[in-house]
Amino acid sequence: AAEAFHGLEDFLAEHLDMIEPGLTLVKTEFHLANPNGASGFLDIFARAVDGQLVIIEIKRTNSAAREAIQELYKYAALLREKYLLKETEYRLILLSVEWHELLVPYSEFAPSAPYEIWAGEIVRGPDCLPVEIKRVEPIALAAHRKLAVRHFLWGFVDDASASAAVP
């Protein structure tokens, strides 16, 4: 299974235009040291046409996809620490073969992420190699309960203090 994963990663690293036109490879399995805990290995580290650094995280199975959001947060933090980057100087791409476990967490994460991120489904052919990357859009999730902007709630200890506040 690990060999198949590296085959998928290596194939995508050699065909970065399938992910996004103009990407150039910096390195696969790029090590990011972490003085405060577990280090990380970026699946694919690339550079965009505009010079932005790009972290590409690849997931193959639903069980592996469960870790994806945590890894993206960690990799972004380690990249900022290593290169003293601003959030506008890098972005993330999350690719997965399976989206059953990943769609809801990604949909919660993506709209509020402090950096640019997009996701794609890896569509594989009969030889298990990618034939297409289909963009995955975040789904609408239940919104937080809110009060209308112009409504105010006032609390009073008794009726007399509420009556006194009316004028």
Side-chain angles (χ1 to χ4, degrees):
E3 185 178 316
F5 174 74
H6 287 295
L8 180 63
E9 177 185 298
D10 292 341
F11 181 89
L12 289 170
E14 292 171 11
H15 299 88
L16 287 173
D17 278 351
M18 182 181 280
I19 299 170
E20 181 180 301
L23 287 178
T24 56
L25 182 65
V26 173
K27 190 168 172 69
T28 60
E29 290 297 314
F30 183 79
H31 182 250
L32 285 172
N34 184 355
N36 302 308
S39 62
F41 289 88
L42 307 182
D43 292 335
I44 299 175
F45 192 33
R47 187 174 295 276
V49 174
D50 64 2
Q52 219 177 17
L53 294 171
V54 182
I55 297 171
I56 303 170
E57 180 66 13
I58 301 168
K59 296 298 178 193
R60 224 169 31 92
T61 64
N62 276 317
S63 59
R66 292 180 184 137
E67 306 162 355
I69 303 302
Q70 182 270 338
E71 287 179 339
L72 289 173
Y73 270 121
K74 178 174 82 171
Y75 297 158
L78 294 176
L79 191 67
R80 277 194 316 272
E81 183 175 319
K82 182 175 178 87
Y83 296 109
L84 302 175
L85 299 175
K86 297 183 295 187
E87 278 117 1
T88 56
E89 295 175 309
Y90 65 92
R91 59 191 166 86
L92 313 174
I93 299 175
L94 175 58
L95 303 177
S96 185
V97 173
E98 299 286 336
W99 277 88
H100 179 74
E101 289 286 337
L102 192 51
L103 187 56
V104 170
Y106 171 71
S107 297
E108 181 79 13
F109 168 70
S112 61
Y115 25 76
E116 184 184 341
I117 181 170
W118 70 266
E121 177 185 353
I122 301 169
V123 179
R124 297 189 297 181
D127 58 0
C128 290
L129 292 176
V131 294
E132 179 185 6
I133 304 292
K134 289 190 342 190
R135 195 85 173 224
V136 172
E137 297 298 333
I139 57 172
L141 299 173
H144 297 281
R145 184 177 61 221
K146 295 179 182 176
L147 296 175
V149 175
R150 297 206 169 127
H151 291 167
F152 296 96
L153 297 178
W154 297 87
F156 300 98
V157 293
D158 56 32
D159 288 342
S161 58
S163 295
V166 169

